[in-house]
mmCIF file with all atom_site columns, all heavy atoms in Angstrom:
data_model
loop_
_atom_site.group_PDB
_atom_site.id
_atom_site.type_symbol
_atom_site.label_atom_id
_atom_site.label_alt_id
_atom_site.label_comp_id
_atom_site.label_asym_id
_atom_site.label_entity_id
_atom_site.label_seq_id
_atom_site.pdbx_PDB_ins_code
_atom_site.Cartn_x
_atom_site.Cartn_y
_atom_site.Cartn_z
_atom_site.occupancy
_atom_site.B_iso_or_equiv
_atom_site.pdbx_formal_charge
_atom_site.auth_seq_id
_atom_site.auth_comp_id
_atom_site.auth_asym_id
_atom_site.auth_atom_id
_atom_site.pdbx_PDB_model_num
ATOM 1   N N   . THR A 1 1  ? -3.434  -3.728  -14.666 1.00 97.00 ? 131 THR A N   1
ATOM 2   C CA  . THR A 1 1  ? -4.553  -3.783  -13.743 1.00 97.00 ? 131 THR A CA  1
ATOM 3   C C   . THR A 1 1  ? -4.007  -4.258  -12.410 1.00 97.00 ? 131 THR A C   1
ATOM 4   O O   . THR A 1 1  ? -3.392  -5.299  -12.327 1.00 97.00 ? 131 THR A O   1
ATOM 5   C CB  . THR A 1 1  ? -5.673  -4.718  -14.218 1.00 97.00 ? 131 THR A CB  1
ATOM 6   O OG1 . THR A 1 1  ? -6.174  -4.296  -15.541 1.00 97.00 ? 131 THR A OG1 1
ATOM 7   C CG2 . THR A 1 1  ? -6.762  -4.812  -13.211 1.00 97.00 ? 131 THR A CG2 1
ATOM 8   N N   . PHE A 1 2  ? -4.179  -3.425  -11.311 1.00 98.00 ? 132 PHE A N   1
ATOM 9   C CA  . PHE A 1 2  ? -3.758  -3.849  -10.040 1.00 98.00 ? 132 PHE A CA  1
ATOM 10  C C   . PHE A 1 2  ? -4.578  -5.031  -9.480  1.00 98.00 ? 132 PHE A C   1
ATOM 11  O O   . PHE A 1 2  ? -5.867  -5.176  -9.868  1.00 98.00 ? 132 PHE A O   1
ATOM 12  C CB  . PHE A 1 2  ? -3.844  -2.761  -9.030  1.00 98.00 ? 132 PHE A CB  1
ATOM 13  C CG  . PHE A 1 2  ? -2.846  -1.673  -9.251  1.00 98.00 ? 132 PHE A CG  1
ATOM 14  C CD1 . PHE A 1 2  ? -3.176  -0.479  -9.773  1.00 98.00 ? 132 PHE A CD1 1
ATOM 15  C CD2 . PHE A 1 2  ? -1.549  -1.875  -8.951  1.00 98.00 ? 132 PHE A CD2 1
ATOM 16  C CE1 . PHE A 1 2  ? -2.211  0.535   -10.000 1.00 98.00 ? 132 PHE A CE1 1
ATOM 17  C CE2 . PHE A 1 2  ? -0.594  -0.867  -9.124  1.00 98.00 ? 132 PHE A CE2 1
ATOM 18  C CZ  . PHE A 1 2  ? -0.902  0.334   -9.734  1.00 98.00 ? 132 PHE A CZ  1
ATOM 19  N N   . GLN A 1 3  ? -4.034  -5.969  -8.789  1.00 97.00 ? 133 GLN A N   1
ATOM 20  C CA  . GLN A 1 3  ? -4.707  -7.158  -8.299  1.00 97.00 ? 133 GLN A CA  1
ATOM 21  C C   . GLN A 1 3  ? -4.939  -6.975  -6.783  1.00 97.00 ? 133 GLN A C   1
ATOM 22  O O   . GLN A 1 3  ? -4.188  -6.250  -6.023  1.00 97.00 ? 133 GLN A O   1
ATOM 23  C CB  . GLN A 1 3  ? -3.860  -8.383  -8.537  1.00 97.00 ? 133 GLN A CB  1
ATOM 24  C CG  . GLN A 1 3  ? -3.650  -8.690  -10.003 1.00 97.00 ? 133 GLN A CG  1
ATOM 25  C CD  . GLN A 1 3  ? -2.837  -9.985  -10.207 1.00 97.00 ? 133 GLN A CD  1
ATOM 26  O OE1 . GLN A 1 3  ? -2.728  -10.795 -9.273  1.00 97.00 ? 133 GLN A OE1 1
ATOM 27  N NE2 . GLN A 1 3  ? -2.444  -10.192 -11.422 1.00 97.00 ? 133 GLN A NE2 1
ATOM 28  N N   . ASP A 1 4  ? -5.965  -7.681  -6.305  1.00 98.00 ? 134 ASP A N   1
ATOM 29  C CA  . ASP A 1 4  ? -6.346  -7.657  -4.864  1.00 98.00 ? 134 ASP A CA  1
ATOM 30  C C   . ASP A 1 4  ? -5.170  -8.279  -4.053  1.00 98.00 ? 134 ASP A C   1
ATOM 31  O O   . ASP A 1 4  ? -4.620  -9.286  -4.409  1.00 98.00 ? 134 ASP A O   1
ATOM 32  C CB  . ASP A 1 4  ? -7.609  -8.468  -4.695  1.00 98.00 ? 134 ASP A CB  1
ATOM 33  C CG  . ASP A 1 4  ? -8.144  -8.347  -3.297  1.00 98.00 ? 134 ASP A CG  1
ATOM 34  O OD1 . ASP A 1 4  ? -7.777  -7.408  -2.572  1.00 98.00 ? 134 ASP A OD1 1
ATOM 35  O OD2 . ASP A 1 4  ? -8.993  -9.255  -2.900  1.00 98.00 ? 134 ASP A OD2 1
ATOM 36  N N   . ASN A 1 5  ? -4.874  -7.665  -2.897  1.00 97.00 ? 135 ASN A N   1
ATOM 37  C CA  . ASN A 1 5  ? -3.971  -8.195  -1.935  1.00 97.00 ? 135 ASN A CA  1
ATOM 38  C C   . ASN A 1 5  ? -2.505  -8.107  -2.342  1.00 97.00 ? 135 ASN A C   1
ATOM 39  O O   . ASN A 1 5  ? -1.622  -8.655  -1.643  1.00 97.00 ? 135 ASN A O   1
ATOM 40  C CB  . ASN A 1 5  ? -4.294  -9.619  -1.456  1.00 97.00 ? 135 ASN A CB  1
ATOM 41  C CG  . ASN A 1 5  ? -5.592  -9.585  -0.593  1.00 97.00 ? 135 ASN A CG  1
ATOM 42  O OD1 . ASN A 1 5  ? -5.770  -8.661  0.225   1.00 97.00 ? 135 ASN A OD1 1
ATOM 43  N ND2 . ASN A 1 5  ? -6.372  -10.573 -0.778  1.00 97.00 ? 135 ASN A ND2 1
ATOM 44  N N   . GLU A 1 6  ? -2.181  -7.500  -3.495  1.00 98.00 ? 136 GLU A N   1
ATOM 45  C CA  . GLU A 1 6  ? -0.717  -7.454  -3.850  1.00 98.00 ? 136 GLU A CA  1
ATOM 46  C C   . GLU A 1 6  ? -0.168  -6.251  -3.214  1.00 98.00 ? 136 GLU A C   1
ATOM 47  O O   . GLU A 1 6  ? -0.759  -5.197  -2.861  1.00 98.00 ? 136 GLU A O   1
ATOM 48  C CB  . GLU A 1 6  ? -0.587  -7.318  -5.338  1.00 98.00 ? 136 GLU A CB  1
ATOM 49  C CG  . GLU A 1 6  ? -1.147  -6.055  -6.023  1.00 98.00 ? 136 GLU A CG  1
ATOM 50  C CD  . GLU A 1 6  ? -0.744  -5.942  -7.441  1.00 98.00 ? 136 GLU A CD  1
ATOM 51  O OE1 . GLU A 1 6  ? 0.296   -6.480  -7.834  1.00 98.00 ? 136 GLU A OE1 1
ATOM 52  O OE2 . GLU A 1 6  ? -1.520  -5.363  -8.247  1.00 98.00 ? 136 GLU A OE2 1
ATOM 53  N N   . ALA A 1 7  ? 1.195   -6.279  -2.905  1.00 98.00 ? 137 ALA A N   1
ATOM 54  C CA  . ALA A 1 7  ? 1.908   -5.258  -2.299  1.00 98.00 ? 137 ALA A CA  1
ATOM 55  C C   . ALA A 1 7  ? 2.060   -4.081  -3.356  1.00 98.00 ? 137 ALA A C   1
ATOM 56  O O   . ALA A 1 7  ? 2.347   -4.317  -4.556  1.00 98.00 ? 137 ALA A O   1
ATOM 57  C CB  . ALA A 1 7  ? 3.214   -5.672  -1.843  1.00 98.00 ? 137 ALA A CB  1
ATOM 58  N N   . ILE A 1 8  ? 1.916   -2.862  -2.925  1.00 98.00 ? 138 ILE A N   1
ATOM 59  C CA  . ILE A 1 8  ? 1.966   -1.649  -3.743  1.00 98.00 ? 138 ILE A CA  1
ATOM 60  C C   . ILE A 1 8  ? 3.289   -0.978  -3.339  1.00 98.00 ? 138 ILE A C   1
ATOM 61  O O   . ILE A 1 8  ? 3.465   -0.580  -2.147  1.00 98.00 ? 138 ILE A O   1
ATOM 62  C CB  . ILE A 1 8  ? 0.807   -0.721  -3.666  1.00 98.00 ? 138 ILE A CB  1
ATOM 63  C CG1 . ILE A 1 8  ? -0.561  -1.476  -3.991  1.00 98.00 ? 138 ILE A CG1 1
ATOM 64  C CG2 . ILE A 1 8  ? 0.976   0.470   -4.629  1.00 98.00 ? 138 ILE A CG2 1
ATOM 65  C CD1 . ILE A 1 8  ? -0.515  -2.087  -5.390  1.00 98.00 ? 138 ILE A CD1 1
ATOM 66  N N   . GLN A 1 9  ? 4.233   -0.863  -4.303  1.00 98.00 ? 139 GLN A N   1
ATOM 67  C CA  . GLN A 1 9  ? 5.625   -0.275  -3.868  1.00 98.00 ? 139 GLN A CA  1
ATOM 68  C C   . GLN A 1 9  ? 5.839   1.072   -4.619  1.00 98.00 ? 139 GLN A C   1
ATOM 69  O O   . GLN A 1 9  ? 5.291   1.408   -5.619  1.00 98.00 ? 139 GLN A O   1
ATOM 70  C CB  . GLN A 1 9  ? 6.615   -1.273  -4.275  1.00 98.00 ? 139 GLN A CB  1
ATOM 71  C CG  . GLN A 1 9  ? 6.571   -2.622  -3.612  1.00 98.00 ? 139 GLN A CG  1
ATOM 72  C CD  . GLN A 1 9  ? 7.789   -3.514  -4.025  1.00 98.00 ? 139 GLN A CD  1
ATOM 73  O OE1 . GLN A 1 9  ? 8.414   -3.334  -5.023  1.00 98.00 ? 139 GLN A OE1 1
ATOM 74  N NE2 . GLN A 1 9  ? 8.156   -4.461  -3.056  1.00 98.00 ? 139 GLN A NE2 1
ATOM 75  N N   . VAL A 1 10 ? 6.719   1.868   -3.934  1.00 98.00 ? 140 VAL A N   1
ATOM 76  C CA  . VAL A 1 10 ? 7.237   3.038   -4.469  1.00 98.00 ? 140 VAL A CA  1
ATOM 77  C C   . VAL A 1 10 ? 8.750   2.908   -4.413  1.00 98.00 ? 140 VAL A C   1
ATOM 78  O O   . VAL A 1 10 ? 9.334   2.789   -3.326  1.00 98.00 ? 140 VAL A O   1
ATOM 79  C CB  . VAL A 1 10 ? 6.817   4.319   -3.613  1.00 98.00 ? 140 VAL A CB  1
ATOM 80  C CG1 . VAL A 1 10 ? 7.464   5.602   -4.221  1.00 98.00 ? 140 VAL A CG1 1
ATOM 81  C CG2 . VAL A 1 10 ? 5.278   4.482   -3.739  1.00 98.00 ? 140 VAL A CG2 1
ATOM 82  N N   . GLY A 1 11 ? 9.433   2.975   -5.567  1.00 96.00 ? 141 GLY A N   1
ATOM 83  C CA  . GLY A 1 11 ? 10.832  2.807   -5.649  1.00 96.00 ? 141 GLY A CA  1
ATOM 84  C C   . GLY A 1 11 ? 11.339  1.511   -5.081  1.00 96.00 ? 141 GLY A C   1
ATOM 85  O O   . GLY A 1 11 ? 12.421  1.485   -4.461  1.00 96.00 ? 141 GLY A O   1
ATOM 86  N N   . GLY A 1 12 ? 10.580  0.469   -5.255  1.00 96.00 ? 142 GLY A N   1
ATOM 87  C CA  . GLY A 1 12 ? 10.942  -0.834  -4.798  1.00 96.00 ? 142 GLY A CA  1
ATOM 88  C C   . GLY A 1 12 ? 10.701  -1.141  -3.344  1.00 96.00 ? 142 GLY A C   1
ATOM 89  O O   . GLY A 1 12 ? 11.018  -2.233  -2.813  1.00 96.00 ? 142 GLY A O   1
ATOM 90  N N   . VAL A 1 13 ? 10.088  -0.206  -2.631  1.00 97.00 ? 143 VAL A N   1
ATOM 91  C CA  . VAL A 1 13 ? 9.744   -0.366  -1.260  1.00 97.00 ? 143 VAL A CA  1
ATOM 92  C C   . VAL A 1 13 ? 8.257   -0.482  -1.022  1.00 97.00 ? 143 VAL A C   1
ATOM 93  O O   . VAL A 1 13 ? 7.504   0.432   -1.522  1.00 97.00 ? 143 VAL A O   1
ATOM 94  C CB  . VAL A 1 13 ? 10.318  0.827   -0.402  1.00 97.00 ? 143 VAL A CB  1
ATOM 95  C CG1 . VAL A 1 13 ? 9.960   0.599   1.096   1.00 97.00 ? 143 VAL A CG1 1
ATOM 96  C CG2 . VAL A 1 13 ? 11.784  0.936   -0.530  1.00 97.00 ? 143 VAL A CG2 1
ATOM 97  N N   . THR A 1 14 ? 7.799   -1.484  -0.354  1.00 97.00 ? 144 THR A N   1
ATOM 98  C CA  . THR A 1 14 ? 6.389   -1.678  -0.103  1.00 97.00 ? 144 THR A CA  1
ATOM 99  C C   . THR A 1 14 ? 5.767   -0.619  0.825   1.00 97.00 ? 144 THR A C   1
ATOM 100 O O   . THR A 1 14 ? 6.370   -0.352  1.824   1.00 97.00 ? 144 THR A O   1
ATOM 101 C CB  . THR A 1 14 ? 6.092   -3.091  0.450   1.00 97.00 ? 144 THR A CB  1
ATOM 102 O OG1 . THR A 1 14 ? 6.529   -4.092  -0.459  1.00 97.00 ? 144 THR A OG1 1
ATOM 103 C CG2 . THR A 1 14 ? 4.594   -3.279  0.795   1.00 97.00 ? 144 THR A CG2 1
ATOM 104 N N   . LYS A 1 15 ? 4.672   -0.031  0.372   1.00 97.00 ? 145 LYS A N   1
ATOM 105 C CA  . LYS A 1 15 ? 4.100   0.983   1.131   1.00 97.00 ? 145 LYS A CA  1
ATOM 106 C C   . LYS A 1 15 ? 2.627   0.581   1.633   1.00 97.00 ? 145 LYS A C   1
ATOM 107 O O   . LYS A 1 15 ? 2.301   0.857   2.828   1.00 97.00 ? 145 LYS A O   1
ATOM 108 C CB  . LYS A 1 15 ? 3.882   2.246   0.313   1.00 97.00 ? 145 LYS A CB  1
ATOM 109 C CG  . LYS A 1 15 ? 5.211   2.844   -0.314  1.00 97.00 ? 145 LYS A CG  1
ATOM 110 C CD  . LYS A 1 15 ? 6.064   3.392   0.929   1.00 97.00 ? 145 LYS A CD  1
ATOM 111 C CE  . LYS A 1 15 ? 7.349   4.100   0.402   1.00 97.00 ? 145 LYS A CE  1
ATOM 112 N NZ  . LYS A 1 15 ? 8.142   4.660   1.464   1.00 97.00 ? 145 LYS A NZ  1
ATOM 113 N N   . VAL A 1 16 ? 1.835   -0.016  0.840   1.00 98.00 ? 146 VAL A N   1
ATOM 114 C CA  . VAL A 1 16 ? 0.495   -0.427  1.190   1.00 98.00 ? 146 VAL A CA  1
ATOM 115 C C   . VAL A 1 16 ? 0.142   -1.770  0.522   1.00 98.00 ? 146 VAL A C   1
ATOM 116 O O   . VAL A 1 16 ? 0.914   -2.244  -0.311  1.00 98.00 ? 146 VAL A O   1
ATOM 117 C CB  . VAL A 1 16 ? -0.566  0.699   0.737   1.00 98.00 ? 146 VAL A CB  1
ATOM 118 C CG1 . VAL A 1 16 ? -0.294  2.041   1.413   1.00 98.00 ? 146 VAL A CG1 1
ATOM 119 C CG2 . VAL A 1 16 ? -0.587  0.848   -0.743  1.00 98.00 ? 146 VAL A CG2 1
ATOM 120 N N   . THR A 1 17 ? -1.034  -2.211  0.815   1.00 98.00 ? 147 THR A N   1
ATOM 121 C CA  . THR A 1 17 ? -1.502  -3.415  0.175   1.00 98.00 ? 147 THR A CA  1
ATOM 122 C C   . THR A 1 17 ? -2.833  -3.154  -0.454  1.00 98.00 ? 147 THR A C   1
ATOM 123 O O   . THR A 1 17 ? -3.760  -2.576  0.083   1.00 98.00 ? 147 THR A O   1
ATOM 124 C CB  . THR A 1 17 ? -1.778  -4.556  1.258   1.00 98.00 ? 147 THR A CB  1
ATOM 125 O OG1 . THR A 1 17 ? -0.552  -4.872  1.964   1.00 98.00 ? 147 THR A OG1 1
ATOM 126 C CG2 . THR A 1 17 ? -2.300  -5.828  0.625   1.00 98.00 ? 147 THR A CG2 1
ATOM 127 N N   . ALA A 1 18 ? -3.000  -3.565  -1.813  1.00 98.00 ? 148 ALA A N   1
ATOM 128 C CA  . ALA A 1 18 ? -4.187  -3.346  -2.536  1.00 98.00 ? 148 ALA A CA  1
ATOM 129 C C   . ALA A 1 18 ? -5.356  -4.091  -1.917  1.00 98.00 ? 148 ALA A C   1
ATOM 130 O O   . ALA A 1 18 ? -5.259  -5.278  -1.538  1.00 98.00 ? 148 ALA A O   1
ATOM 131 C CB  . ALA A 1 18 ? -4.005  -3.809  -3.982  1.00 98.00 ? 148 ALA A CB  1
ATOM 132 N N   . ASN A 1 19 ? -6.479  -3.330  -1.763  1.00 98.00 ? 149 ASN A N   1
ATOM 133 C CA  . ASN A 1 19 ? -7.659  -3.917  -1.181  1.00 98.00 ? 149 ASN A CA  1
ATOM 134 C C   . ASN A 1 19 ? -8.743  -3.984  -2.312  1.00 98.00 ? 149 ASN A C   1
ATOM 135 O O   . ASN A 1 19 ? -9.649  -3.161  -2.502  1.00 98.00 ? 149 ASN A O   1
ATOM 136 C CB  . ASN A 1 19 ? -8.222  -3.046  -0.025  1.00 98.00 ? 149 ASN A CB  1
ATOM 137 C CG  . ASN A 1 19 ? -9.495  -3.619  0.629   1.00 98.00 ? 149 ASN A CG  1
ATOM 138 O OD1 . ASN A 1 19 ? -9.818  -4.794  0.341   1.00 98.00 ? 149 ASN A OD1 1
ATOM 139 N ND2 . ASN A 1 19 ? -10.158 -2.824  1.388   1.00 98.00 ? 149 ASN A ND2 1
ATOM 140 N N   . GLY A 1 20 ? -8.564  -4.885  -3.206  1.00 97.00 ? 150 GLY A N   1
ATOM 141 C CA  . GLY A 1 20 ? -9.348  -5.047  -4.402  1.00 97.00 ? 150 GLY A CA  1
ATOM 142 C C   . GLY A 1 20 ? -8.589  -4.595  -5.644  1.00 97.00 ? 150 GLY A C   1
ATOM 143 O O   . GLY A 1 20 ? -7.460  -4.137  -5.589  1.00 97.00 ? 150 GLY A O   1
ATOM 144 N N   . VAL A 1 21 ? -9.229  -4.751  -6.810  1.00 98.00 ? 151 VAL A N   1
ATOM 145 C CA  . VAL A 1 21 ? -8.634  -4.300  -8.043  1.00 98.00 ? 151 VAL A CA  1
ATOM 146 C C   . VAL A 1 21 ? -8.962  -2.881  -8.300  1.00 98.00 ? 151 VAL A C   1
ATOM 147 O O   . VAL A 1 21 ? -9.819  -2.296  -7.618  1.00 98.00 ? 151 VAL A O   1
ATOM 148 C CB  . VAL A 1 21 ? -9.144  -5.140  -9.243  1.00 98.00 ? 151 VAL A CB  1
ATOM 149 C CG1 . VAL A 1 21 ? -8.784  -6.624  -9.111  1.00 98.00 ? 151 VAL A CG1 1
ATOM 150 C CG2 . VAL A 1 21 ? -10.713 -4.988  -9.403  1.00 98.00 ? 151 VAL A CG2 1
ATOM 151 N N   . ASP A 1 22 ? -8.171  -2.159  -9.218  1.00 98.00 ? 152 ASP A N   1
ATOM 152 C CA  . ASP A 1 22 ? -8.510  -0.823  -9.478  1.00 98.00 ? 152 ASP A CA  1
ATOM 153 C C   . ASP A 1 22 ? -9.767  -0.619  -10.259 1.00 98.00 ? 152 ASP A C   1
ATOM 154 O O   . ASP A 1 22 ? -10.147 -1.593  -11.047 1.00 98.00 ? 152 ASP A O   1
ATOM 155 C CB  . ASP A 1 22 ? -7.306  -0.160  -10.224 1.00 98.00 ? 152 ASP A CB  1
ATOM 156 C CG  . ASP A 1 22 ? -7.027  -0.784  -11.561 1.00 98.00 ? 152 ASP A CG  1
ATOM 157 O OD1 . ASP A 1 22 ? -6.272  -1.801  -11.647 1.00 98.00 ? 152 ASP A OD1 1
ATOM 158 O OD2 . ASP A 1 22 ? -7.651  -0.398  -12.577 1.00 98.00 ? 152 ASP A OD2 1
ATOM 159 N N   . THR A 1 23 ? -10.560 0.381   -10.025 1.00 98.00 ? 153 THR A N   1
ATOM 160 C CA  . THR A 1 23 ? -11.807 0.607   -10.701 1.00 98.00 ? 153 THR A CA  1
ATOM 161 C C   . THR A 1 23 ? -11.898 1.993   -11.318 1.00 98.00 ? 153 THR A C   1
ATOM 162 O O   . THR A 1 23 ? -11.173 2.887   -10.949 1.00 98.00 ? 153 THR A O   1
ATOM 163 C CB  . THR A 1 23 ? -13.030 0.361   -9.735  1.00 98.00 ? 153 THR A CB  1
ATOM 164 O OG1 . THR A 1 23 ? -12.860 1.278   -8.655  1.00 98.00 ? 153 THR A OG1 1
ATOM 165 C CG2 . THR A 1 23 ? -13.074 -1.019  -9.105  1.00 98.00 ? 153 THR A CG2 1
ATOM 166 N N   . ALA A 1 24 ? -12.747 2.111   -12.268 1.00 98.00 ? 154 ALA A N   1
ATOM 167 C CA  . ALA A 1 24 ? -13.023 3.431   -13.010 1.00 98.00 ? 154 ALA A CA  1
ATOM 168 C C   . ALA A 1 24 ? -13.824 4.392   -11.963 1.00 98.00 ? 154 ALA A C   1
ATOM 169 O O   . ALA A 1 24 ? -14.777 3.987   -11.302 1.00 98.00 ? 154 ALA A O   1
ATOM 170 C CB  . ALA A 1 24 ? -13.762 3.251   -14.212 1.00 98.00 ? 154 ALA A CB  1
ATOM 171 N N   . VAL A 1 25 ? -13.368 5.580   -11.988 1.00 98.00 ? 155 VAL A N   1
ATOM 172 C CA  . VAL A 1 25 ? -14.098 6.671   -11.198 1.00 98.00 ? 155 VAL A CA  1
ATOM 173 C C   . VAL A 1 25 ? -15.225 7.030   -12.120 1.00 98.00 ? 155 VAL A C   1
ATOM 174 O O   . VAL A 1 25 ? -15.079 7.380   -13.276 1.00 98.00 ? 155 VAL A O   1
ATOM 175 C CB  . VAL A 1 25 ? -13.245 7.878   -10.974 1.00 98.00 ? 155 VAL A CB  1
ATOM 176 C CG1 . VAL A 1 25 ? -14.067 9.005   -10.332 1.00 98.00 ? 155 VAL A CG1 1
ATOM 177 C CG2 . VAL A 1 25 ? -12.091 7.476   -10.032 1.00 98.00 ? 155 VAL A CG2 1
ATOM 178 N N   . ALA A 1 26 ? -16.520 6.983   -11.606 1.00 97.00 ? 156 ALA A N   1
ATOM 179 C CA  . ALA A 1 26 ? -17.636 7.291   -12.395 1.00 97.00 ? 156 ALA A CA  1
ATOM 180 C C   . ALA A 1 26 ? -18.724 7.830   -11.467 1.00 97.00 ? 156 ALA A C   1
ATOM 181 O O   . ALA A 1 26 ? -18.717 7.682   -10.277 1.00 97.00 ? 156 ALA A O   1
ATOM 182 C CB  . ALA A 1 26 ? -18.264 6.023   -13.086 1.00 97.00 ? 156 ALA A CB  1
ATOM 183 N N   . LEU A 1 27 ? -19.608 8.647   -12.097 1.00 98.00 ? 157 LEU A N   1
ATOM 184 C CA  . LEU A 1 27 ? -20.771 9.231   -11.352 1.00 98.00 ? 157 LEU A CA  1
ATOM 185 C C   . LEU A 1 27 ? -22.076 8.629   -11.892 1.00 98.00 ? 157 LEU A C   1
ATOM 186 O O   . LEU A 1 27 ? -22.300 8.598   -13.152 1.00 98.00 ? 157 LEU A O   1
ATOM 187 C CB  . LEU A 1 27 ? -20.816 10.810  -11.613 1.00 98.00 ? 157 LEU A CB  1
ATOM 188 C CG  . LEU A 1 27 ? -19.572 11.530  -10.948 1.00 98.00 ? 157 LEU A CG  1
ATOM 189 C CD1 . LEU A 1 27 ? -19.712 13.053  -11.364 1.00 98.00 ? 157 LEU A CD1 1
ATOM 190 C CD2 . LEU A 1 27 ? -19.489 11.412  -9.448  1.00 98.00 ? 157 LEU A CD2 1
ATOM 191 N N   . ALA A 1 28 ? -22.947 8.223   -11.047 1.00 97.00 ? 158 ALA A N   1
ATOM 192 C CA  . ALA A 1 28 ? -24.160 7.682   -11.434 1.00 97.00 ? 158 ALA A CA  1
ATOM 193 C C   . ALA A 1 28 ? -25.106 8.876   -11.750 1.00 97.00 ? 158 ALA A C   1
ATOM 194 O O   . ALA A 1 28 ? -25.001 10.029  -11.312 1.00 97.00 ? 158 ALA A O   1
ATOM 195 C CB  . ALA A 1 28 ? -24.852 6.879   -10.271 1.00 97.00 ? 158 ALA A CB  1
ATOM 196 N N   . PRO A 1 29 ? -26.149 8.654   -12.620 1.00 97.00 ? 159 PRO A N   1
ATOM 197 C CA  . PRO A 1 29 ? -27.021 9.752   -13.068 1.00 97.00 ? 159 PRO A CA  1
ATOM 198 C C   . PRO A 1 29 ? -28.085 10.022  -11.961 1.00 97.00 ? 159 PRO A C   1
ATOM 199 O O   . PRO A 1 29 ? -28.250 9.309   -10.959 1.00 97.00 ? 159 PRO A O   1
ATOM 200 C CB  . PRO A 1 29 ? -27.749 9.145   -14.309 1.00 97.00 ? 159 PRO A CB  1
ATOM 201 C CG  . PRO A 1 29 ? -27.799 7.627   -14.042 1.00 97.00 ? 159 PRO A CG  1
ATOM 202 C CD  . PRO A 1 29 ? -26.452 7.380   -13.276 1.00 97.00 ? 159 PRO A CD  1
ATOM 203 N N   . GLY A 1 30 ? -28.806 11.123  -12.195 1.00 96.00 ? 160 GLY A N   1
ATOM 204 C CA  . GLY A 1 30 ? -29.950 11.437  -11.353 1.00 96.00 ? 160 GLY A CA  1
ATOM 205 C C   . GLY A 1 30 ? -29.708 12.338  -10.234 1.00 96.00 ? 160 GLY A C   1
ATOM 206 O O   . GLY A 1 30 ? -30.626 12.638  -9.403  1.00 96.00 ? 160 GLY A O   1
#
C-alpha cells in the first residue's frame, strides 16, 4: 500500500510524490 507524501521512484530515481494512499477504482450506482 502506497503511503501519503512518500517519494515514488522508477529504477531508484524519484519521479513524483504520492498525494494520499492508493485507492480502488470503483463506479457508484445509478
Side-chain angles (χ1 to χ4, degrees):
T131 303
F132 288 107
Q133 296 182 13
D134 187 21
N135 289 323
E136 69 173 326
I138 306 299
Q139 296 186 336
V140 176
V143 179
T144 297
K145 300 292 186 178
V146 299
T147 301
N149 183 14
V151 300
D152 61 271
T153 58
V155 175
L157 295 176

